[in-house]
Amino acid sequence: MSRIHPTAIVDAQAELAADVQVGPYAVVGPHVRIGSGSSIGPHCVVEGHTSIGSENRIWQFCSIGAAPQDKKYAGEPTHLSIGDRNTIREFCTFNCGTVQDSGCTRVGDDNWIMAYVHLAHDVQLGSQCILANNATLAGHVQVGDWVIVGGLTGVHQFVKIGAHAMAGFQTALSQDVPPFMMVDGNPAKAHGFNVEGLRRRGFGPERIAQIKQMHRLLYRNGLTFEEAKAQIGDLRGQVEGGDLDVELMSGFLSASTRGIVR
């Protein structure tokens, strides 16, 4: 049965699965949908055109689905979409999208999002990510799967972070981070690749060695960006399963619009 605290305010038009929990003094707006097994903590506000999937746990004092912090926003019915099995800790703020982009801020599945994290309008966050306390993602930021963003890190508008990348504590990101790479500092600099994370995810020695080669081509061999991109493409067909990693890197580098952290 639905467990809604008597002090919570849930609009009659909101769509909540039968077993959703809503804590004391929480507010749920009319255009909200929440899937089975999810819980909304005390004093949370869930508003806007917001869709929350199954088995999410949203802790106390979060603001989910508020209007974008964008001066061009004129009240359009934009959206926030949250997948399944996400943990969203205290005081997080997730905003809806804008019509200048896709109109939807998206969060994937199985993310671990710590306290005070901000996801601005039109952020696209993948799955299996970890965002540590006070990580701040500005508008239009795109984050791939299995990314780790350290505490107090700020990510500039339109920056892309590739899958399996890692940004350390207090990093200032104003350029794109290629897949697999580790960066930190202000301004951010690349410091190797995420070898331990790849091992934990089942990447074998040959695939890891090829990713290490991609790191060398980008950062150690003195190549221009275009030269490095071409030589990374030439790695296709050399390692079993490695073409997926080459395609991921090549596609990311080709789509980069702000330049990469180098």
Side-chain angles (χ1 to χ4, degrees):
M1 295 178 62
S2 179
R3 289 183 280 177
I4 299 175
H5 194 275
T7 62
I9 300 173
V10 178
D11 193 281
Q13 297 182 58
E15 299 178 24
L16 276 60
D19 60 349
V20 168
Q21 299 181 47
V22 181
Y25 303 103
V27 178
V28 178
H31 305 296
V32 173
R33 295 183 297 165
I34 305 176
S36 177
S38 292
S39 63
I40 308 298
H43 298 276
C44 288
V45 176
V46 186
E47 56 183 314
H49 290 77
T50 295
S51 174
I52 299 173
S54 300
E55 299 180 39
N56 294 283
R57 186 172 184 190
I58 301 177
W59 292 62
Q60 54 265 32
F61 302 107
C62 290
S63 173
I64 306 296
Q69 297 179 87
D70 187 324
K71 294 176 78 172
K72 299 184 296 299
Y73 181 68
E76 301 91 347
T78 55
H79 300 266
L80 168 66
S81 175
I82 298 174
D84 302 328
R85 299 177 302 278
N86 295 287
T87 296
I88 301 169
R89 293 301 303 249
E90 301 85 350
F91 298 99
C92 288
T93 55
F94 296 2
N95 295 159
C96 289
T98 64
V99 295
Q100 286 75 33
D101 201 317
S102 66
C104 185
T105 303
R106 290 186 175 88
V107 177
D109 304 327
D110 300 294
N111 294 295
W112 185 261
I113 301 173
M114 299 186 199
Y116 294 95
V117 167
H118 176 63
L119 303 185
H121 58 86
D122 305 294
V123 163
Q124 308 293 304
L125 178 67
S127 297
Q128 300 284 353
C129 296
I130 299 173
L131 276 59
N133 298 314
N134 290 99
T136 300
L137 277 57
H140 315 283
V141 165
Q142 298 180 21
V143 181
D145 298 339
W146 297 100
V147 167
I148 298 174
V149 180
L152 297 168
T153 290
V155 185
H156 195 279
Q157 282 190 333
F158 296 100
V159 160
K160 301 178 180 71
I161 304 176
H164 304 283
M166 181 175 182
F169 170 71
Q170 275 191 330
T171 299
L173 281 177
S174 58
Q175 292 179 298
D176 298 340
V177 182
F180 312 112
M181 300 301 140
M182 297 178 66
V183 301
D184 68 7
N186 182 7
K189 298 292 183 183
H191 299 284
F193 69 104
N194 189 12
V195 59
E196 185 58 34
L198 298 177
R199 287 185 183 130
R200 292 177 182 179
R201 291 160 208 155
F203 282 64
E206 291 186 341
R207 285 181 71 183
I208 290 175
Q210 183 168 264
I211 291 167
K212 183 176 182 179
Q213 179 63 14
M214 289 194 281
H215 171 262
R216 287 178 179 150
L217 292 170
L218 277 173
Y219 295 104
R220 294 288 184 262
N221 289 6
L223 303 175
T224 67
F225 177 74
E226 292 300 326
E227 290 169 340
K229 188 166 67 170
Q231 293 194 29
I232 287 170
D234 291 340
L235 297 174
R236 294 181 179 91
Q238 299 185 20
V239 173
E240 183 177 356
D243 284 4
L244 294 173
D245 308 325
V246 174
E247 293 296 337
L248 176 63
M249 178 65 79
S250 296
F252 184 93
L253 297 177
S254 295
S256 176
T257 56
R258 295 189 58 83
I260 65 168
V261 173
R262 292 194 81 180

